[in-house]
Amino acid sequence: MSDNGKAREAILTCAGDIKDRIGKGKRPSLKFPRRSLSNVTYDTDDGYFKLKSGRITRTLTYNTVKTFAQALRMMALSKEAIDTEEEVTKREAYYVSKNWAEARFDEQSESDTVMEDIEALFAVNREQLGFIPEEKGGEVAGELVVIDRDRTTGKKIKIDCTRFGSGAYSVPISVEELQFETDAEFVLAIETAGMFQRLNNHAFWREANCILVSLGGVPTRACRRFVRRLSEQNGMPVYAFVDGDPYGYGNIYRTLKVGSGNAAHINEFFCVPDARFLGVTPKDIETYDLPTHPLSETDVKRARDLIRNDPFFQHHKPWQRAIKKMLKMGARVEQQAFAKHSLNFVIERYLPEKLADPDGFLP
Amino acid sequence: MSDNGKAREAILTCAGDIKDRIGKGKRPSLKFPRRSLSNVTYDTDDGYFKLKSGRITRTLTYNTVKTFAQALRMMALSKEAIDTEEEVTKREAYYVSKNWAEARFDEQSESDTVMEDIEALFAVNREQLGFIPEEKGGEVAGELVVIDRDRTTGKKIKIDCTRFGSGAYSVPISVEELQFETDAEFVLAIETAGMFQRLNNHAFWREANCILVSLGGVPTRACRRFVRRLSEQNGMPVYAFVDGDPYGYGNIYRTLKVGSGNAAHINEFFCVPDARFLGVTPKDIETYDLPTHPLSETDVKRARDLIRNDPFFQHHKPWQRAIKKMLKMGARVEQQAFAKHSLNFVIERYLPEKLADPDGFLP
């Protein structure tokens, strides 16, 4: 059964239970996982932040009737989306509710919360419920064929990511149905659009036999899910190439690899546990004589916070050493910094030297 | 001669003049256009904001020697980029300067300013100088074949934008070399990624025989330049479909159509004078019984500012009436609002009805 099919079954079972209880004159209830950092653990075997067992029970009462009705309405919308193969953005779901009479939402933040509760309730992700985020995925170029279908004719479509010239394949918002054909050796996930463009213009993916993905800062859910499915289906490592600063380490890379704290119920689907950190590391600054910028107060605060409070960085000694080194140097470095030597130094020296020793990457 | 070739000639001529003057023991100088709103006029014939004749002369003196040297270094970098067919991001140019000894830049804002001065000096755009912005272009799907070439093999590549399934063609940062083949009737420029995804999933471009472009908010230079070249080479109208609020009208649409005030020296290349405004208009709120949000104080302030101070909205009476109507209704509307009626109301009713009468679009 497809993932969407499982979500549909779960909705029908849940709705059936509620109907039964009401039929027997009993109060129906829903048990939602508690969604907060305190209900999260870093599972080092599976390699991502997981929900612990904390649950909140919501029973239908006079006071909860509106939110209870909203949750059921949202489930019904999900079932409708799955049945008609529609995708509903969070914003659209909010507007659809305008026709739900007393159950309508006044603010999108309310409908988003209900949507996230339902994700957590069924332990599925939003895309499997037929809901999609507003934001788009990343860009892709290189040794990959994406298999999609024309949604109106149903015909299979093969998209050859070596055939976009200076352009790229733009990842759709929902990637659940995509399949992949590739002989690439790894995925290179790149922070900035500028660096992605440089590597793509020089067809770096050809000589390195890899797939380039532009993250565009902290990767969106669609982008992370795309990289995850690609990595998983093809047993391919993912190497991250981002700025050498606390934001690059703690926000971009950490989110890509193990997920985030406040959305732990979906990390299972959106993390990329096989990701490893190619650079730019504090050590690279010395090895490659790179120009740096001084750490700002915010940088220092964030870096200290990573070592002290983030379960991921707490667990990995090499990361603690790297971040302490950065604090000691008082410097951050950007992935464009290699341009000081020459524009293509990054292609001709840095990446080939680093890629010769992936075991040396940070975890 | 190619546009890049012209830029190269201009650099050589300018550098030659400076060398001659120095050879004759005279002080060289550079005359830059003054880049500010007060040096701008709305040219209604050509349809965009143009620079007036105000110029600033910078003569080489003891005090200006550093900035003078930086301008010459930046020109040399541009010539090198053109000669080697490289593209240099703004950030990279800043890092390249780290090897310019005393002429190095301390902040990227300084190198950006010098780059913009040179654009204005030669009346070319940054891309023609071999410089590219950091940010990427938009997404494209529909009845269009983009012709690019593999930058390493030189081979021509045809990119068929009907063949990407739920994905899309991601526009490269520099679009100067792209060519187009299309029989589409118009370009539909869409504000949000969510609406673009809906129209693309339903292959709206097939039934409407059009090209869909996702702007992703205020369009980047690359995205505007892409739409402009597409529209110009194929004599195709461009219809904008954005949120019905002061930001959608004044920032997204106005920038797409006539350019911006503080970068008027490049509007010539980046505006889309043939663009027209499909919706969402304040009138649509009534016609289609759409759910709205009240205007915030900022919205009201911005709307009043558009009518009073923006040369574009001052010129166009239908826009003044529309914005006054919005102020009177005290309401803004989003392009997702059609979902209230049904998810595909926008495809089945709104767009077909509007597209039946393009003469009714706002200018």
Side-chain angles (χ1 to χ4, degrees):
Chain A
M1 193 186 296
S2 71
D3 288 339
N4 286 12
K6 278 183 228 159
R8 189 176 183 280
E9 284 299 305
I11 292 169
L12 290 177
T13 306
C14 175
D17 287 348
I18 290 172
K19 196 182 165 210
D20 285 352
R21 284 191 69 86
I22 293 175
K24 290 176 188 160
K26 290 179 184 168
R27 285 191 173 166
S29 63
L30 293 165
K31 277 185 188 164
F32 299 98
R34 191 151 42 80
R35 296 189 286 111
S36 72
L37 245 190
S38 59
N39 196 30
V40 157
T41 175
Y42 177 40
D43 185 314
T44 50
D45 289 337
D46 286 344
Y48 59 89
F49 285 171
K50 280 190 177 175
L51 270 181
K52 292 195 286 199
S53 61
R55 297 210 151 217
I56 297 166
T57 301
R58 293 208 193 124
T59 303
L60 176 58
T61 66
Y62 180 83
N63 287 326
T64 63
V65 64
K66 182 172 173 184
T67 51
F68 209 91
Q70 286 174 327
L72 295 183
R73 278 283 204 175
M74 193 63 90
M75 284 188 225
L77 178 61
S78 167
K79 180 177 165 293
E80 187 194 328
I82 295 169
D83 287 345
T84 57
E85 292 195 32
E86 283 293 340
E87 287 166 354
V88 187
T89 68
K90 290 161 72 178
R91 194 76 188 151
E92 286 176 333
Y94 162 71
Y95 279 113
V96 167
S97 87
K98 295 295 183 190
N99 262 335
W100 293 352
E102 292 307 309
R104 90 174 70 82
F105 293 103
D106 294 323
E107 299 284 343
Q108 192 191 330
S109 57
E110 299 169 18
S111 57
D112 286 356
T113 303
V114 169
M115 198 180 278
E116 280 159 25
D117 282 343
I118 292 172
E119 281 185 330
L121 178 66
F122 296 132
V124 295
N125 70 56
R126 197 185 295 156
E127 288 72 7
Q128 291 165 349
L129 292 169
F131 297 129
I132 57 174
E134 219 70 41
E135 60 204 358
K136 57 174 299 299
E139 274 68 56
V140 178
E143 300 292 350
L144 171 70
V145 172
V146 177
I147 302 167
D148 196 355
R149 62 185 176 87
D150 187 310
R151 304 288 175 106
T152 54
T153 64
K155 266 193 208 157
K156 193 192 270 191
I157 293 179
K158 288 195 170 195
I159 302 156
D160 182 347
C161 297
T162 66
R163 305 270 313 154
F164 283 94
S166 54
Y169 168 65
S170 174
V171 175
I173 292 180
S174 175
V175 304
E176 296 303 321
E177 291 192 23
L178 303 182
Q179 300 295 324
F180 309 104
E181 283 174 6
T182 179
D183 292 319
E185 285 167 35
F186 61 93
V187 175
L188 189 64
I190 302 155
E191 177 175 341
T192 63
M195 181 57 75
F196 175 83
Q197 188 76 63
R198 170 160 302 282
L199 298 187
N200 191 25
N201 279 356
H202 288 267
F204 178 77
W205 42 264
R206 192 177 287 142
E207 51 191 288
N209 190 24
C210 72
I211 300 164
L212 305 178
V213 176
S214 172
L215 300 174
V218 176
T220 61
R221 289 167 58 128
C223 184
R224 284 151 59 199
R225 183 74 180 143
F226 182 87
V227 174
R228 159 66 175 275
R229 294 195 63 233
L230 185 55
S231 146
E232 200 169 49
Q233 284 188 19
N234 302 279
M236 235 186 313
V238 174
Y239 302 144
F241 180 26
V242 307
D243 286 348
D245 58 30
Y247 190 80
Y249 302 155
N251 296 54
I252 297 177
Y253 177 67
R254 206 281 320 270
T255 303
L256 177 72
K257 184 172 169 108
V258 301
S260 62
N262 55 10
H265 60 290
I266 50 142
N267 287 340
E268 179 185 350
F269 306 104
F270 293 96
C271 64
V272 185
D274 289 340
R276 293 180 66 82
F277 192 84
L278 178 148
V280 187
T281 65
K283 189 159 176 286
D284 289 337
I285 296 174
E286 295 169 349
T287 312
Y288 294 98
D289 184 24
L290 300 176
T292 60
H293 290 79
L295 292 177
S296 70
E297 263 182 60
T298 315
D299 288 333
V300 172
K301 200 167 157 287
R302 189 176 273 155
R304 289 196 181 132
D305 199 48
L306 293 181
I307 304 175
R308 278 182 210 152
N309 302 319
D310 189 303
F312 174 73
F313 293 100
Q314 284 176 323
H315 178 79
H316 291 292
K317 293 280 175 296
W319 265 117
Q320 292 197 17
R321 284 194 292 273
I323 292 172
K324 279 174 189 161
K325 185 178 176 67
M326 174 176 66
L327 281 166
K328 203 175 160 194
M329 297 170 82
R332 61 183 176 83
V333 62
E334 299 183 355
Q335 58 180 177
Q336 281 82 357
F338 300 98
K340 177 195 156 193
H341 299 300
S342 72
L343 287 170
N344 290 321
F345 183 91
V346 65
I347 293 175
E348 290 155 9
R349 277 274 313 272
Y350 179 70
L351 287 174
E353 286 185 11
K354 286 290 241 182
L355 287 167
D357 178 29
D359 289 342
F361 292 174
L362 285 167
Chain B
M1 194 186 298
S2 72
D3 288 339
N4 286 13
K6 278 183 228 157
R8 191 177 181 280
E9 284 299 306
I11 291 170
L12 289 178
T13 305
C14 176
D17 287 349
I18 289 171
K19 197 181 164 209
D20 284 351
R21 284 192 68 88
I22 293 175
K24 290 176 190 158
K26 290 181 185 167
R27 285 193 173 165
S29 63
L30 293 166
K31 277 186 189 163
F32 298 97
R34 191 150 43 79
R35 296 188 288 109
S36 73
L37 244 190
S38 59
N39 197 29
V40 157
T41 175
Y42 176 40
D43 185 314
T44 50
D45 288 339
D46 286 345
Y48 59 89
F49 285 171
K50 279 189 177 175
L51 270 182
K52 293 195 284 198
S53 59
R55 296 211 153 216
I56 297 166
T57 301
R58 292 208 194 124
T59 304
L60 177 58
T61 66
Y62 181 82
N63 287 326
T64 63
V65 64
K66 183 173 173 184
T67 51
F68 210 90
Q70 286 174 327
L72 295 183
R73 277 284 202 175
M74 193 64 91
M75 283 189 225
L77 178 60
S78 167
K79 178 174 166 295
E80 188 195 328
I82 295 169
D83 286 345
T84 57
E85 292 196 34
E86 282 293 339
E87 286 166 355
V88 187
T89 69
K90 290 161 71 177
R91 194 76 187 150
E92 286 176 334
Y94 162 71
Y95 278 113
V96 167
S97 86
K98 294 295 182 190
N99 262 336
W100 293 353
E102 292 307 310
R104 91 174 70 82
F105 294 103
D106 294 323
E107 299 285 342
Q108 193 192 327
S109 57
E110 299 169 19
S111 57
D112 287 356
T113 302
V114 169
M115 198 181 278
E116 281 160 24
D117 282 342
I118 292 173
E119 281 185 332
L121 179 66
F122 296 133
V124 296
N125 69 56
R126 197 184 296 156
E127 287 72 6
Q128 290 165 351
L129 292 169
F131 297 129
I132 57 174
E134 219 69 41
E135 60 203 356
K136 56 175 301 298
E139 275 69 54
V140 179
E143 300 291 351
L144 170 70
V145 173
V146 178
I147 302 166
D148 196 355
R149 62 185 177 88
D150 187 309
R151 304 286 175 107
T152 54
T153 64
K155 265 192 207 158
K156 193 191 268 192
I157 293 180
K158 288 197 170 195
I159 302 157
D160 182 347
C161 298
T162 66
R163 304 271 313 154
F164 296 133
S166 53
Y169 168 66
S170 174
V171 176
I173 292 180
S174 174
V175 302
E176 295 303 321
E177 290 192 23
L178 304 182
Q179 299 295 324
F180 309 104
E181 283 174 6
T182 180
D183 293 318
E185 286 166 35
F186 61 93
V187 175
L188 189 64
I190 301 156
E191 176 175 342
T192 63
M195 180 57 75
F196 174 84
Q197 188 76 64
R198 170 160 302 283
L199 298 187
N200 191 25
N201 279 356
H202 287 268
F204 178 76
W205 43 264
R206 191 178 289 141
E207 51 191 287
N209 190 24
C210 71
I211 300 163
L212 305 178
V213 176
S214 173
L215 301 174
V218 176
T220 62
R221 286 166 60 127
C223 184
R224 284 150 60 198
R225 182 75 180 142
F226 182 87
V227 173
R228 158 68 175 274
R229 294 196 62 233
L230 185 54
S231 146
E232 201 168 49
Q233 284 187 20
N234 302 279
M236 236 186 311
V238 174
Y239 303 143
F241 180 27
V242 307
D243 286 348
D245 57 32
Y247 190 79
Y249 302 154
N251 296 53
I252 296 176
Y253 177 66
R254 207 282 320 266
T255 304
L256 177 72
K257 184 173 170 110
V258 300
S260 62
N262 56 9
H265 60 291
I266 50 144
N267 286 338
E268 179 184 350
F269 306 104
F270 292 95
C271 64
V272 185
D274 289 341
R276 294 179 65 81
F277 192 85
L278 177 147
V280 185
T281 66
K283 189 158 176 287
D284 289 337
I285 297 175
E286 295 170 349
T287 312
Y288 294 98
D289 184 25
L290 299 176
T292 60
H293 290 79
L295 292 177
S296 69
E297 262 181 61
T298 315
D299 288 332
V300 172
K301 201 168 156 287
R302 187 175 275 154
R304 289 197 182 131
D305 199 47
L306 293 182
I307 303 177
R308 278 183 210 152
N309 302 320
D310 189 303
F312 174 73
F313 293 101
Q314 283 176 322
H315 177 79
H316 291 292
K317 293 278 176 297
W319 266 117
Q320 291 197 17
R321 283 193 293 273
I323 293 172
K324 280 176 189 161
K325 186 178 175 68
M326 174 176 66
L327 282 166
K328 202 174 161 197
M329 296 169 83
R332 62 185 175 82
V333 61
E334 298 183 356
Q335 58 180 175
Q336 281 83 354
F338 300 98
K340 177 195 155 193
H341 299 300
S342 73
L343 287 170
N344 289 320
F345 183 91
V346 65
I347 293 173
E348 290 154 7
R349 276 272 316 270
Y350 179 69
L351 287 175
E353 285 185 11
K354 288 289 245 184
L355 287 167
D357 179 30
D359 290 341
F361 292 173
L362 285 167

